[in-house]
Amino acid sequence: MANCMVFHTQIASIMEVLANAAVADICKLVDDDYAVFRLEITQSHKENRGLRRKLQLLELKMARERAEKTARERVLASRPSSVKILDRYRGMSRGEGHLTRGHRSFVKPAAHNACRDDQPITVDEGSGTSTQHVIVIESADAEAVGPGVKLERSEGEEDPRHSRDIQTGASHVATEDLTATAPQPRTRRRITEVSGTPNAVLKSEPDTETLTVTQRLLHTGSDHRSYPERLGRLGCPPVPSSDYLLYDNLSSRAVQVNSHRDSGDALEAGSDLSCSYTTEMDPGNISLGLETQTDLSRGDWNQYSSSVYSEGCLDKKGEVIVLDEVTVKVEGDAPLTWNVDETPSGEGHSQGRDFLDYRESLETNLNVTTHSPLHTVRDRDPVSTLMGPSNSRGRVLFDQVLNSNDRTRAQAQGGGATSGNSKEKRFLCMFCNKGFSCIQKVEIHQRVHTGVKPFSCTQCHMRFTQAGDLKRHQRVHTGEKPFSCTQCQMRFSHSSSLKRHQRVHTRKTLKVPPV
DNA sequence: CTGGGGATGGGGCCC
DNA sequence: AGGGCCCCATCCCCA
């Protein structure tokens, strides 16, 4: 018995020694790794500092060059057209998604990489859930300064360097003062976006040219649940936290848009420094169809950018609105673009269709501004995150949104909720305003805009927005051709292909022989 | 060789 | 889920 006890004691002591040794090993490993890690971090910091310095030098250099160039232009007394200006800057921002048509420019700055790769452009004021963003908008400069340069500052916080950049930068776009021969201090417009406030106010501060966008607390939320899970919760009648618009609530929103309607103001707008856009939304009247919880403490830049993107209908020109993945450049002396009060039926439709499509949806559906599935879906949908780890993901997504709008718009015009369908379509797509009778349909439809493709082929990389499309696609792999022509031996995998093929036969029979 | 036009494959999206 | 339409890309034939 005593032996047994001694044996146990020895075993225990041995175990303890072994455990201690193991712990010591682990600690040593951790320490080593930590040291290496620290070293790497330090090196990265140094690199960052170096790069930042380079960037500053580049900024200065470019600002100087621009100033000289502008001075030269002014000496030549050639009043540059807005298109020229844009073209000039287009060249400065290679590889960016310009959708410029005429004076309309819708660009995606290289800076978007910074937004995505680094931290969100969120300046947390630390005031509870409120997050305040100030985007210092500089025409062309926003792009010119290159990627990674974030142009926003907290309100009240003036970055001296930035201010300097602004003031040394040429004012070739924002100002119309062509008489000046020396670079003037840039006219500046700032867009301040204050998330977390219970109401949304877009207001201008004419005297300071500060365009303040007080943004309604965003309610898009981030739903990280799996797609089937989300589908599962979908269903008619409405379920909260879905990204769609409830048609019923459109009318409950009081929106006033005071803007320069007079297109003649456009040219003078350069000197008219007042920001003409005012949107007042009575918080009491704001009743979004569906609102989900928003965790602003996470600094969801997607929400922010979506809001700015949506709020990008900010009237007035002159500047570049730097967004997450989208930069809206609005030409200084061009007719007001992305202009809330511009009538949809105006001649503007011949230009920048994609851009206008979105704008149009904003015009007709102003409460879109707080529900941008473009971002929320990207944030939420597991598939979409699988789709593209690359930096171009957002770009692709956005392009899809833009490209899809043409078709969708035409369809929406034909069969939108407001077109008086017999079936009540109270769920609106927030992109094209098209109405649907059921949430699932909105969800499915909105994939057209968001690019979300939840159904993936197991045998290839193809993805589809609808299950039926996947099913049909898989016939490509199986070789199945269930649709056979009754008049010949041809078989097709698409029913529509068969139908189309059969027209060949009917056309042949209908063909009138030459006389 | 080349360009035009028809036919087909296949995806997108709506009903 | 299936049918249908539209669109785009590609192939093939022919002048």
Side-chain angles (χ1 to χ4, degrees):
Chain A
M1 191 63 184
N3 282 344
C4 191
M5 288 289 289
V6 169
F7 184 65
H8 276 295
T9 311
Q10 284 176 345
I11 287 178
S13 60
I14 289 170
M15 293 279 282
E16 193 178 339
V17 169
L18 286 174
N20 287 337
V23 167
D25 282 348
I26 291 170
C27 286
K28 190 170 180 294
L29 277 174
V30 168
D31 286 345
D32 289 348
D33 287 347
Y34 181 67
V36 172
F37 187 55
R38 284 286 299 271
L39 194 65
E40 286 175 1
I41 287 178
T42 311
Q43 285 172 349
S44 298
H45 279 304
K46 281 178 187 167
E47 282 177 20
N48 280 344
R49 272 196 295 273
L51 288 173
R52 218 171 290 143
R53 265 194 295 273
K54 277 186 189 172
L55 188 60
Q56 287 177 16
L57 286 173
L58 275 175
E59 287 172 24
L60 272 176
K61 195 179 169 189
M62 291 182 75
R64 217 175 297 130
E65 285 173 1
R66 274 200 306 276
E68 289 168 6
K69 196 171 180 182
T70 308
R72 248 179 283 133
E73 283 174 3
R74 283 174 177 163
V75 167
L76 290 174
S78 63
R79 182 191 173 102
S81 75
S82 59
V83 175
K84 282 179 186 171
I85 291 170
L86 281 178
D87 286 342
R88 184 146 45 101
Y89 291 114
R90 196 180 309 145
M92 296 170 73
S93 51
R94 291 187 303 277
E96 296 168 5
H98 293 269
L99 293 172
T100 306
R101 288 176 177 88
H103 60 271
R104 299 176 196 282
S105 179
F106 196 41
V107 295
K108 174 173 160 286
H112 74 276
N113 286 336
C115 304
R116 185 165 33 249
D117 294 342
D118 303 338
Q119 62 278 16
I121 307 183
T122 299
V123 183
D124 195 345
E125 296 287 274
S127 55
T129 58
S130 174
T131 306
Q132 207 170 61
H133 309 279
V134 177
I135 299 179
V136 178
I137 294 173
E138 291 182 84
S139 55
D141 287 354
E143 292 181 49
V145 293
V149 178
K150 300 170 189 174
L151 296 174
E152 81 286 3
R153 296 281 180 273
S154 295
E155 191 165 33
E157 172 199 347
E158 274 292 349
D159 184 340
R161 181 171 62 85
H162 195 262
S163 300
R164 178 203 60 212
D165 289 346
I166 290 170
Q167 299 191 359
T168 55
S171 54
H172 36 252
V173 172
T175 64
E176 282 290 308
D177 182 2
L178 299 176
T179 60
T181 53
Q184 298 291 318
R186 285 188 52 81
T187 53
R188 296 186 323 192
R189 292 191 180 87
R190 289 186 296 172
I191 287 184
T192 307
E193 190 246 15
V194 182
S195 303
T197 54
N199 58 342
V201 177
L202 283 173
K203 62 183 180 184
S204 64
E205 299 175 13
D207 48 345
T208 62
E209 294 184 56
T210 299
L211 186 58
T212 302
V213 180
T214 306
Q215 173 63 38
R216 175 182 167 76
L217 176 64
L218 301 175
H219 288 282
T220 49
S222 287
D223 185 347
H224 294 285
R225 279 173 286 184
S226 65
Y227 182 79
E229 206 174 340
R230 289 194 293 123
L231 272 187
R233 75 189 154 83
L234 293 173
C236 304
V239 180
S241 82
S242 196
D243 298 322
Y244 64 93
L245 301 167
L246 201 56
Y247 179 57
D248 289 355
N249 290 307
L250 285 174
S251 59
S252 64
R253 196 132 173 236
V255 176
Q256 294 177 357
V257 177
N258 303 322
S259 190
H260 289 297
R261 296 198 63 89
D262 186 355
S263 61
D265 287 349
L267 278 177
E268 298 166 12
S271 54
D272 178 8
L273 300 178
S274 64
C275 289
S276 59
Y277 183 87
T278 300
T279 300
E280 294 176 2
M281 300 175 188
D282 181 353
N285 284 336
I286 293 175
S287 173
L288 295 176
L290 293 165
E291 298 182 351
T292 60
Q293 322 80 326
T294 297
D295 188 357
L296 283 175
S297 63
R298 283 181 302 173
D300 191 339
W301 171 244
N302 288 335
Q303 293 170 359
Y304 166 65
S305 58
S306 76
S307 71
V308 176
Y309 177 52
S310 303
E311 301 288 0
C313 56
L314 296 176
D315 185 4
K316 213 62 175 158
K317 62 267 158 209
E319 318 304 16
V320 175
I321 301 173
V322 181
L323 308 179
D324 179 9
E325 296 158 358
V326 180
T327 292
V328 181
K329 183 194 284 181
V330 192
E331 181 46 45
D333 50 2
L336 305 182
T337 65
W338 213 11
N339 186 341
V340 173
D341 64 353
E342 191 173 332
T343 51
S345 58
E347 63 282 351
H349 274 257
S350 61
Q351 311 171 344
R353 274 283 305 280
D354 295 331
F355 189 54
L356 292 178
D357 287 339
Y358 196 91
R359 185 192 62 182
E360 189 175 16
S361 78
L362 291 171
E363 289 166 356
T364 54
N365 197 0
L366 282 170
N367 56 355
V368 162
T369 55
T370 56
H371 281 61
S372 178
L374 166 64
H375 301 283
T376 55
V377 170
R378 182 188 56 201
D379 209 24
R380 293 162 36 165
D381 194 284
V383 174
S384 62
T385 56
L386 287 172
M387 280 176 69
S390 72
N391 283 345
S392 62
R393 165 81 182 103
R395 164 76 172 281
V396 169
L397 183 63
F398 189 71
D399 287 347
Q400 286 171 336
V401 170
L402 290 179
N403 292 333
S404 64
N405 270 340
D406 272 345
R407 232 182 297 179
T408 310
R409 179 171 152 223
Q411 288 158 354
Q413 285 173 345
T418 54
S419 62
N421 278 9
S422 58
K423 205 171 179 181
E424 190 188 13
K425 295 181 173 179
R426 47 201 296 269
F427 303 101
L428 297 185
C429 169
M430 56 200 34
F431 291 105
C432 64
N433 212 28
K434 185 175 182 181
F436 296 88
S437 58
C438 186
I439 291 177
Q440 290 104 321
K441 289 179 181 172
V442 184
E443 286 269 335
I444 291 170
H445 163 78
Q446 285 185 162
R447 292 179 200 143
V448 172
H449 305 291
T450 62
V452 173
K453 296 181 175 181
F455 305 96
S456 57
C457 178
T458 55
Q459 293 173 275
C460 71
H461 66 282
M462 290 292 297
R463 291 177 167 276
F464 302 90
T465 56
Q466 298 181 29
D469 289 340
L470 171 60
K471 191 177 177 183
R472 185 179 65 180
H473 158 78
Q474 283 176 331
R475 293 187 198 133
V476 173
H477 300 302
T478 62
E480 184 191 359
K481 292 186 173 182
F483 306 98
S484 57
C485 178
T486 55
Q487 294 176 272
C488 69
Q489 301 307 311
M490 289 206 62
R491 300 179 71 86
F492 302 89
S493 58
H494 285 40
S495 61
S496 59
S497 295
L498 170 62
K499 189 163 187 176
R500 186 179 52 188
H501 161 76
Q502 283 176 329
R503 283 201 287 263
V504 174
H505 296 306
T506 56
R507 243 202 311 265
K508 276 176 185 167
T509 56
L510 288 175
K511 233 176 200 170
V512 181
V515 182

